[in-house]
Amino acid sequence: MARGKGDDGPHPVDRHVGRRVCEKRLALGYNQSDLGRALGLTFQQIQKYEKGANRISASKLWDIARFFKVDIGFFFEGLTGAQLAGYNEDGAAFEHDFPATRYTIEINRLAPQLSTRQQKLALDLIRDMTDRTEGDEG
């Protein structure tokens, strides 16, 4: 069993911190290999960190924060006690509001650059595609 994994998967804090690493890496235009080289790791290890499958040690998180030029607290922003309350002793983890993929992160990053009208059109398109996909599967 990989470190940081319970019966139901990675601990929610490990998932959250990994997701924040992924979001920041993509926002700065780095790929997993770039970050791995800077930290003396493989891109596979970065993948495991970002998924929360492997816990990031305090010293490695410190190195990542220095590389990204952010305060270490950045990785814990948005993590609330209310979210962790959903993580009970049985090991059931809370779900993030959306899956962290390269595409969802980029959509989230680019949307504010659109006008309000363009944002509405993009939202309508995504809703239409989602409805069509769900209808096609059933």
Side-chain angles (χ1 to χ4, degrees):
M1 178 176 2
R3 286 182 51 201
K5 268 199 155 180
D7 292 338
D8 293 319
H11 190 280
V13 174
D14 296 327
R15 288 182 57 207
H16 181 85
V17 169
R19 179 180 175 155
R20 295 289 289 167
V21 169
C22 179
E23 290 171 348
K24 190 63 173 177
R25 175 181 59 76
L26 290 173
L28 294 173
Y30 294 112
N31 62 39
Q32 290 173 332
S33 295
D34 295 333
L35 180 56
R37 271 190 300 277
L39 302 173
L41 301 170
T42 64
F43 78 89
Q44 292 96 334
Q45 184 62 46
I46 301 300
Q47 282 178 330
K48 290 178 184 180
Y49 284 165
E50 290 182 356
K51 290 179 183 177
N54 284 9
R55 291 180 177 152
I56 304 173
S57 69
S59 59
K60 198 56 71 177
L61 191 59
W62 178 264
D63 291 340
I64 293 169
R66 286 181 44 205
F67 180 74
F68 288 158
K69 296 180 176 57
V70 296
D71 184 74
I72 203 157
F74 167 86
F75 301 108
F76 298 94
E77 288 174 5
L79 186 63
T80 65
Q83 288 173 314
L84 288 178
Y87 185 81
N88 59 34
E89 290 80 29
D90 297 337
F94 69 91
E95 290 297 319
H96 284 290
D97 52 351
F98 64 88
T101 67
R102 163 178 248 104
Y103 306 112
T104 58
I105 292 168
E106 189 163 1
I107 288 168
N108 190 45
R109 182 178 63 81
L110 292 174
Q113 297 174 29
L114 300 173
S115 69
T116 303
R117 182 176 183 280
Q118 290 171 322
Q119 289 177 19
K120 184 185 178 321
L121 289 170
L123 178 60
D124 289 344
L125 175 63
I126 291 170
R127 283 182 177 153
D128 184 52
M129 290 188 311
T130 302
D131 291 341
R132 193 173 318 142
T133 301
E134 289 174 1
D136 292 344
E137 292 176 354

